[in-house]
Amino acid sequence: MITILDCLEETARRFPDHIICEDEAEAVTFRQFAERAKAVGTYLCGYRGARRPVAVFMDNTAAAWTAMIGAVYSGNFYVVIDAQMPIERIKNIFSTLSPLAVIADETCRAQAVRLKDVDVCFYDDIVRTPVQESVLQAVRGQMIDTDPVYTLFTSGSTGVPKGTVVNHDSVIKYATWYAQTFQINEDTIFGSQTPFYFSMSVSTMFSTLLTGARLVVIPKMLFSFPPRLVAFMNEKKINTIYWVPSAMNMIANYKALDSMDLPNLKTVLFAGEVMPNKQLNYWRNHMPKQTLFANLFGPTETTDIATYYVVDRAFQDDEPLPIGKACSNCSVMVLREDGTLAAEGEEGELCVRGSFLASGYYNNPEKTAEVFVQNPLNTAYPERIYRMGDIVKYNGRGELMYVSRKDFQIKHQGYRIELGEIETAVSAIENVYECACIYDEEKSLIVLWCSGKDLSARLILRGVRDRLPKYMLPNKCLFLDEMPHNANGKIDKKLLKQRYLERR
C-alpha cells in the first residue's frame, strides 16, 4: 500500500456494505464513502493544485470525513478547522496556510462566508460532482508515500498556531501498529469522542479505514449527561473507546457506572493528558477483568502516539501511571540537555525516531529545525529525531514514567518542581474531581485550581502533606464548580492562568 487511498479502496472492496461512519444524521457504508470522496476529489481537481492544503470547515460528521479524504483524492491534503474557533485565529492560520480551497457545510456557512481571499465551496454541492476516474487516476499516478495526507494545527508556544504535516507512510505504519496492538478489526465499533482536528482522531479514523471497523460519532452534548452517554454507548454497542482522561473522569466523578453497565465495552484507551489513578480505578473496578485498559502517550508530531502502557497491575490512587514503552517501528530515547543518554532513573527529555515522525511544520522552517533535529547519538549519517519537550524517566520495571512538560517545570524556593507531581497528589484526594496547577512567577506562588465536592484549602493541604514536601505544597487554592476545558477536551491551563491574573 502506497497511500491511504489504496487502503480505503481495498477495505471498501472487502466490506462494501459495512458502515464506516455513523453520526446523528446518517450512517455511511464504505462503498458510499469511497464514491463520495471521489466525487469531492474530482471537483477539487478543477483547481489544478498538487500537494496544497484544502481546509475542511465542518463539524464532526461523516460528511466532514468524506471531504477530508476527497482532498487527498485530488492530490492535495486536508486541514480540519475548528468551526467554533474565533474568526481571527482562523485568519491567523490561513495566513500560514494559504489554502487552495475551503470546504464548508450549511452548519458552518455563516462563519465560512466571513473568510476573505479564499475560495469557499459547499459540501452538499460538490459531493454531487460526477466521478471522473481517468482524472483521479492521473493524479494518483503522481502520488508517493511521502506526500502529505493532512496538516493539524496546534497551539504554539509563541501564540502563533503551528501546522504539523503528516504523510501517507507515517499514517499507514502508525494505523497498522494501532490496529494490530489493540486488535481493531471489522467487528470493532469505536465511540468517537475527539474532534477531527485533534490528533487522537487519526488513530480511530485510519484504523477504521484500514480494517473495516465502524466509527460512531458521539454527540458532544452527551458528555454533559453521563447516564445518557452510557445509554447511547449501549444502544450503539460501542466496544472500543479512545478518549481524553477528562471525558473518562466525568463518568467516574458522576459515578455513572454504579447503576449502569457497559457490557459491550472491551477496550478502553486514553491519551492527551495525565490519567489520574483514582478515576481509572473506578473504571477498572466497574468493568470485567478482561477489559483492556491502555495509556497512550505522544504528540501530533509522531502521528499520534510514541509510547503506550497496557495496564497490567493495580495502582494506588496517588500513584502515577506509566507511559510504558515505545510502539513498534518507533524508537525512543531519554536525553540530557547535552544530548547524551540519561542514566537509569535519571530524568531527561523524551525523543523519538522512526517512520511515525511528521514531515515537519507547514511553512515554518525555523520551528521545524528547532525540534526535528539530527540524532545526537548518531554522527555517521543523517537521522532525524523529534524532541518532544516531555520530561520522563525509567522506573525500576523498565517502564517510562511521565514527569512533566519542560515548560511546566518551575523553580520555586530554590527547588526544581514539576507541577504534574503536585496534580497527581491532589487528584488522589477524595472528592477532588479535577485539578490543575499554575505558577505565579511574579509572586512566587504555586496556585492550585480544583473542582469537586465540599473542598477547602485546609482539606487539600491535609490531603497532600504526607505526599509532598513542604516546598511543593500549593500556596493558594482556588475552587470551581467545573474546570474549563479546551476544544480538545484537556483542562485549559492558559484560561486558568488568565482568570487567576484577572482576580489577583
Side-chain angles (χ1 to χ4, degrees):
M1 298 291 182
I2 294 177
T3 72
I4 56 98
L5 303 179
D6 299 313
C7 299
L8 168 62
E9 289 169 6
E10 172 60 20
T11 306
R13 184 191 64 77
R14 294 169 56 214
F15 306 111
D17 298 320
H18 276 211
I19 302 298
I20 181 174
C21 188
E22 179 180 349
D23 59 28
E24 290 184 272
E26 60 179 343
V28 179
T29 67
F30 274 86
R31 179 193 287 115
Q32 292 170 326
F33 184 93
E35 285 301 307
R36 293 177 187 181
K38 287 181 179 180
V40 172
T42 300
Y43 176 87
L44 293 174
C45 283
Y47 286 93
R48 301 185 183 280
R51 296 178 295 282
R52 292 280 309 281
V54 174
V56 177
F57 200 63
M58 302 167 69
D59 288 326
N60 276 28
T61 58
W65 191 6
T66 308
M68 291 152 64
I69 302 302
V72 181
Y73 265 110
S74 71
N76 297 292
F77 60 94
Y78 68 81
V79 184
V80 182
I81 302 296
D82 176 10
Q84 306 305 316
M85 189 187 301
I87 194 73
E88 290 306 314
R89 191 171 193 271
I90 296 172
K91 291 177 180 178
N92 195 358
I93 289 174
F94 279 13
S95 68
T96 297
L97 204 58
S98 298
L100 182 69
V102 177
I103 304 175
D105 61 8
E106 288 302 317
T107 302
C108 303
R109 177 181 286 273
Q111 185 85 321
V113 296
R114 296 175 61 194
L115 300 171
K116 305 298 182 183
D117 302 320
V118 293
D119 194 349
V120 179
C121 52
F122 290 91
Y123 176 82
D124 287 344
D125 298 329
I126 67 177
V127 77
R128 297 187 178 95
T129 304
V131 174
Q132 297 183 36
E133 288 287 356
S134 61
V135 172
L136 297 178
Q137 287 305 313
V139 170
R140 193 80 156 268
Q142 300 300 311
M143 289 187 190
I144 60 174
D145 60 355
T146 55
D147 284 344
V149 177
Y150 61 82
T151 291
L152 292 183
F153 274 82
T154 58
S155 60
S157 58
T158 62
V160 178
K162 58 183 188 292
T164 304
V165 182
V166 182
N167 64 44
H168 290 269
D169 184 55
S170 296
V171 171
I172 292 171
K173 287 178 177 172
Y174 172 75
T176 299
W177 167 81
Y178 184 89
Q180 291 175 348
T181 302
F182 302 115
Q183 299 180 9
I184 309 302
N185 56 40
E186 66 271 20
D187 297 321
T188 298
I189 303 177
F190 280 111
S192 177
Q193 174 262 329
T194 54
F196 290 169
Y197 54 79
F198 188 30
S199 64
M200 285 174 63
S201 67
V202 170
S203 300
T204 52
M205 287 194 297
F206 287 103
S207 63
T208 292
L209 187 148
L210 198 67
T211 64
R214 176 187 299 203
L215 188 153
V216 177
V217 177
I218 300 176
K220 187 176 180 179
M221 66 92 173
L222 291 182
F223 286 92
S224 298
F225 302 96
R228 292 174 62 184
L229 172 59
V230 173
F232 178 89
M233 293 171 68
N234 287 334
E235 176 191 346
K236 300 299 182 182
K237 301 188 185 307
I238 289 168
N239 56 32
T240 304
I241 60 173
Y242 179 31
W243 292 356
V244 293
S246 296
M248 293 181 61
N249 293 347
M250 182 270 302
I251 286 182
N253 294 336
Y254 193 88
K255 300 191 182 304
L257 301 181
D258 284 5
S259 56
M260 303 178 72
D261 294 328
L262 287 168
N264 302 297
L265 191 59
K266 309 298 180 188
T267 303
V268 179
L269 312 175
F270 44 90
E273 57 188 338
V274 174
M275 181 73 209
N277 268 313
K278 182 175 68 179
Q279 281 85 350
L280 177 60
N281 285 336
Y282 174 86
W283 274 82
R284 295 186 72 196
N285 291 336
H286 286 78
M287 297 294 294
K289 288 187 177 181
Q290 63 268 29
T291 306
L292 184 147
F293 288 86
N295 185 21
L296 280 59
F297 186 85
T300 307
E301 290 84 348
T302 62
T303 308
D304 183 30
I305 294 301
T307 74
Y308 72 109
Y309 170 67
V310 175
V311 183
D312 59 359
R313 61 185 186 272
F315 289 87
Q316 297 298 317
D317 284 355
D318 59 349
E319 283 187 89
L321 198 65
I323 59 173
K325 62 181 181 180
C327 309
S328 62
N329 211 31
C330 181
S331 176
V332 299
M333 57 199 81
V334 182
L335 298 182
R336 301 185 182 99
E337 288 189 9
D338 63 2
T340 59
L341 275 177
E344 183 178 346
E346 181 183 4
E347 293 181 4
E349 183 178 5
L350 185 60
C351 300
V352 187
R353 66 186 185 97
S355 56
F356 290 9
L357 290 193
S359 303
Y361 299 118
Y362 191 80
N363 203 15
N364 195 339
E366 296 83 7
K367 187 64 177 176
T368 299
E370 181 182 323
V371 292
F372 290 91
V373 301
Q374 171 65 26
N375 182 356
L377 305 180
N378 175 11
T379 59
Y381 58 88
E383 182 186 32
R384 282 194 327 151
I385 65 170
Y386 172 65
R387 301 192 71 111
M388 287 176 56
D390 294 298
I391 304 300
V392 300
K393 64 181 178 180
Y394 282 99
N395 64 14
R397 295 171 177 261
E399 300 162 336
L400 280 167
M401 303 296 297
Y402 173 77
V403 179
S404 184
R405 288 288 299 169
K406 285 175 71 175
D407 48 6
F408 289 166
Q409 188 180 72
I410 64 168
K411 194 167 185 180
H412 180 66
Q413 297 181 8
Y415 295 94
R416 289 197 176 275
I417 296 172
E418 305 294 349
L419 296 180
E421 186 176 351
I422 301 173
E423 293 167 351
T424 296
V426 173
S427 68
I429 298 173
E430 187 175 359
N431 292 343
V432 170
Y433 292 168
E434 291 185 297
C435 68
C437 276
I438 61 172
Y439 191 61
D440 182 342
E441 294 87 355
E442 183 180 334
K443 296 189 175 182
S444 299
L445 297 176
I446 297 172
V447 181
L448 174 74
W449 288 87
C450 277
S451 67
K453 182 181 179 182
D454 300 325
L455 299 179
S456 66
R458 183 177 181 183
L459 183 148
I460 296 294
L461 294 175
R462 188 169 63 240
V464 298
R465 66 186 178 189
D466 293 330
R467 298 188 178 109
L468 299 173
K470 286 185 177 180
Y471 63 82
M472 290 183 67
L473 294 177
N475 304 115
K476 196 174 188 67
C477 297
L478 302 172
F479 304 98
L480 294 170
D481 291 336
E482 188 175 332
M483 298 287 276
H485 297 90
N486 60 26
N488 296 335
K490 299 181 183 181
I491 294 174
D492 195 333
K493 292 188 177 183
K494 287 185 179 179
L495 179 59
L496 289 176
K497 189 155 191 175
Q498 179 184 329
R499 288 184 181 179
Y500 167 75
L501 293 175
E502 289 172 352
R503 62 186 292 177
R504 190 174 65 180

